[in-house]
Every structure is written in C-alpha cells, then in structure tokens.
Amino acid sequence: MDAIQAPIVAVIGDLIRRSPGTISLGQGVVHYGPPPAAIQAAGSAVGRDSSHGYQDASGQPELVRAIETKLRRDNGIDVSRGSRVMVTAGGNMAFVHALLAITEPGDEVVLPVPFYFNHEMAIQMAGCRPVLVNTDARYQLDVDAIRAAITSRTRAVVTVSPNNPTGVVFPERALLELNTLCRDRGLYHVSDEAYEYFTYGGVGHVSPGSFADAAAHTISLYSLSKTYGMAGWRIGYMAYPEPLAGAMAKVQDTILICPPVISQVVAAAAMEGGPEYCRRFVAALADIRQVVMAELGALEPLCSVPQADGAFYCCLRVNTAADPMRVAERLIREHRVAVIPGTAFGLTHGCYFRVAYGALEQATVAEGIGRLVSGLRRILGGS
Ligand SMILES: Cc1ncc(COP(=O)(O)O)c(C=O)c1O
C-alpha cells in the first residue's frame, strides 16, 4: 500500500478546506441529482421487506433487464452474443472485479497515460504491474506503442473514452484497431465508458464491445454516477465475456455479495427515463466547455490544451519546470482555485493540470477559470 498513491481528490480537498472561498475545478462530479422519479422510488423501496435482505448477486432482474435493453440501444452490445451483465457498487468496483477475474499477481495491464488514477491504484493492489504507455501530443491512443508494450505477461489493455482526465474522445478507428489487437494477442480490452453520454460538438461515443467478435474479450464498464447524478447511490455495471461468469461470481460474492438493493431500485427508476435526463445538463455543459476552452486557449503559449470533446475535463499542459503539486497548492492558497496536478494521472514529466467543470454553474466556472488563468500567469511569471 505504501507504493500506491494517496487519493488525490482527498488531498486537494484538504487544501481547499484550509482556504475557504476556493472554487474547485478539482473533483469530477456533476452538479445535478437523480431524476425525481428515482428519488420517489427510493422512498417506497425503504419500507419494503424485500429491501432488507440479500438479493440476486448479479443484480435485480428488473435492473439487469433495463441494462441489457440500454446496452443494445445505446452501445450496440447485444448480450445474447456471449456477454453477461453484473451490477456493482459503482464503476470503480466493476474495474476491480474485472481485474481480479482476469489476472494473477505479476501480470501486466497496459494503461495509456494519462490514466484514471484509480485504475493504476487497483492494478497495483491486485499485485499486477501497470505498464504505462504514452498517448500522443493530443492525448490520443498510440496503438503502435501499445503493441510494442505487450509481453507474455500482459493480460489486458485499458481505455477510458470519453477520457478522464483529458476529456478526449477516442475515434472508432483507434478503438477498433486496439480491440482487434487485443483479440489477436489473446488480451482483454477493458473499456471504461463512465462518460458515454458526455460528448460535444457532434462527436459520438463508440463502445468497443459493439465491434464484431468483441464479446469474447471485451469488458465494458459503466456508471450511473454521472449520467443520473447519483454518485452517492453507488451503482455501476459491466458487460463481460460469458466464460468469466464463474470468476466474476466468486469476486462479487466475496466483495459485495449483492449490489445495494435500494440503490438498484433507484437505478432502475432512473434508467426508465433514459439518458434524455442528462441531455439538457450535457447541453449546458457544452456552453460551459466553450468558455473553459476559450479562456484557457488565451493562455497560449504559456499553456496548451488539446481538443477535449467529451466528459467534463480538459488537461492543461504548462510550459514550466515548476513542480505541479507546488503550483496546485499555490493556486489554492493564493488564488482560491483548485485543479488536480497531472502527476496523479501518470503525467510525471512536465507540468499538467486536470480542470473539471462538471460540478459548478456556468458563472462559478467562469470565475474559477478566471482565477486559474490569472493565478498561473502570476505564479509562472507570465504577463
Ligand atoms: C473513468 C471513470 N471511471 C469510473 C469512475 C467511478 O465511477 P463510479 O462512481 O461509478 O464508481 C470515474 C469517476 O470519476 C471515472 O472518471
């Protein structure tokens, strides 16, 4: 555990608490809650006897059915072609389950950099080795570099699209090339799609699990935390290859036994309304994103921000030799704005920051970005 990084959001949260009035562009959360129908469903579930006992390990049948329908409709994944669904307490847990099901200690898992920090942490906790492979200058996948990193110990390649921390959306061509590579080399492709509905400017989301022949080696991870604003209810799920059912059952039984029952009722009610619920929030985020990109774009050449068409992040590359954690601390202490240093995402060479804009109203984000821009100029000695 000593070798594993501390949860960065908590570290930054601590600093924020010590500097009241700080605007947080740190944590990756949305500013809205679940649909009213879901909250109502929670109310009635509390009093039902069936809410208080263990339920089906893979998830309540109504929720699993709703998920299967959604996978077919929105992701092009037909589970009758060799996949199974498992509901978990959030997408992070689905990732851990998948790792435990497919690896043994000493195995390697390829992570494109920047990575989602909990993926690296989970791989290390499972006794495996994260093999870090750089993305290109636009944070896009470098499939040739991934191919070159594969060894006899490699078990899986992980992708996150839309991406945390960069906001980049990987195009179908790259995902297909990588998914095919995984198939040909006997590897799993673990595809984290927590931000599947968060894309902008006509850019579409592609699920690798929808590719022909993908079912046998693709594990697709999803979360209700962002889409339905229900991070605290802890519901995620995955579609995974049928032959892993025995292994997944062992992991689920040991770690969760069954997903929280009332949360599943809330999830099923939320999913009944479908992703239309989040579309208006995504439309508002699209406007906020324009403001963020324009303001940060004005920092050139001090900083650059590659195109970010998804999630609610962008990843700022700063031309300085300064230590990003020190800069982040000063931004909070002296300029009352918080961002996450890129080191948490494996960007250890250079100075990078993840900017998250999902948690705040437009005016607050604009104020926060203003503070970030002037703060970086002051700290780094720009104009
Ligand atoms: C890429 C990615 N996967 C998974 C998660 C966690 O989702 P959940 O709340 O469902 O565990 C997050 C949360 O920020 C994320 O960014």
Side-chain angles (χ1 to χ4, degrees):
M1 281 295 168
D2 289 344
I4 293 169
Q5 66 164 308
I8 187 69
V9 171
V11 172
I12 295 292
D14 239 26
L15 293 172
I16 292 174
R17 266 189 297 282
R18 279 186 257 143
S19 291
T22 296
I23 293 178
S24 176
L25 303 171
Q27 196 170 12
V29 289
V30 293
H31 67 269
Y32 54 89
I39 296 168
Q40 246 174 19
S44 21
V46 171
R48 275 201 293 274
D49 285 349
S50 57
S51 295
H52 307 306
Y54 295 127
Q55 298 278 343
D56 294 15
S58 285
Q60 289 186 296
E62 314 83 73
L63 178 58
V64 172
R65 271 197 304 275
I67 289 169
E68 289 174 352
T69 302
K70 173 267 180 186
L71 285 170
R72 202 173 306 115
R73 184 192 64 214
D74 296 353
N75 305 101
I77 298 174
D78 181 350
V79 294
S80 70
R81 292 205 217 121
S83 306
R84 292 263 182 103
V85 166
M86 178 170 279
V87 180
T88 53
N92 267 11
M93 182 180 279
F95 184 78
V96 173
H97 277 23
L99 266 186
L100 294 177
I102 65 176
T103 64
E104 52 185 81
D107 281 348
E108 295 173 356
V109 177
V110 175
L111 276 187
V113 176
F115 50 69
Y116 170 49
F117 40 73
N118 288 133
H119 287 168
E120 188 204 39
M121 293 160 78
I123 292 165
Q124 292 167 327
M125 286 180 205
C128 297
R129 197 168 80 82
V131 174
L132 308 183
V133 176
N134 286 331
T135 49
D136 69 14
R138 295 168 305 122
Y139 304 130
Q140 289 287 347
L141 292 174
D142 182 344
V143 179
D144 287 334
I146 292 173
R147 185 180 290 110
I150 294 170
T151 72
S152 58
R153 292 307 307 255
T154 310
R155 291 296 283 155
V157 180
V158 179
T159 56
V160 181
S161 182
N163 190 264
N164 179 4
T166 65
V168 160
V169 178
F170 299 144
E172 177 165 5
R173 178 181 35 78
L175 289 170
L176 178 59
E177 191 184 352
L178 179 62
N179 191 265
T180 307
L181 172 68
C182 290
R183 183 197 64 195
D184 293 348
R185 302 293 293 270
L187 310 177
Y188 289 99
H189 181 178
V190 181
S191 170
D192 186 326
E193 302 172 34
Y195 302 93
E196 59 184 321
Y197 298 113
F198 294 80
T199 60
Y200 312 103
V203 172
H205 169 68
V206 174
S207 298
S210 66
F211 300 146
D213 304 331
H217 68 281
T218 306
I219 303 176
S220 310
L221 313 179
Y222 301 94
S223 166
L224 273 73
S225 296
K226 324 284 168 174
T227 307
Y228 296 105
M230 44 183 285
W233 290 94
R234 308 306 305 132
I235 293 289
Y237 58 93
M238 64 183 145
Y240 66 90
E242 211 152 40
L244 291 174
M248 290 291 187
K250 293 177 192 176
V251 178
Q252 180 84 322
D253 190 61
T254 303
I255 293 178
L256 191 61
I257 302 187
C258 74
V261 176
I262 294 174
S263 294
Q264 291 187 81
V265 173
V266 177
M271 288 185 71
E272 203 162 299
E276 272 57 49
Y277 177 68
C278 75
R279 298 237 194 267
R280 68 194 156 105
F281 300 116
V282 174
L285 282 172
D287 294 340
I288 295 176
R289 170 179 163 271
Q290 298 281 12
V291 174
V292 171
M293 298 306 271
E295 293 279 324
L296 294 179
L299 274 172
E300 299 254 10
L302 182 63
C303 304
S304 57
V305 198
Q307 181 79 12
D309 294 318
F312 30 76
Y313 306 113
C314 61
C315 191
L316 197 58
R317 184 188 297 128
V318 187
N319 295 320
T320 174
D323 173 57
M325 190 62 202
R326 297 286 88 77
V327 175
E329 283 168 4
R330 286 190 62 188
L331 282 167
I332 295 172
R333 220 177 33 243
E334 298 165 19
H335 301 275
R336 298 287 190 267
V337 62
V339 289
I340 306 278
T343 38
F345 308 96
L347 294 165
T348 48
H349 300 288
C351 188
Y352 296 82
F353 299 100
R354 185 189 78 175
V355 177
Y357 56 87
L360 306 166
E361 300 294 343
Q362 183 159 353
T364 319
V365 175
E367 167 68 20
I369 292 288
R371 292 184 192 182
L372 177 62
V373 167
S374 62
L376 282 173
R377 286 209 163 109
R378 292 284 283 278
I379 293 169
L380 303 172
S383 57

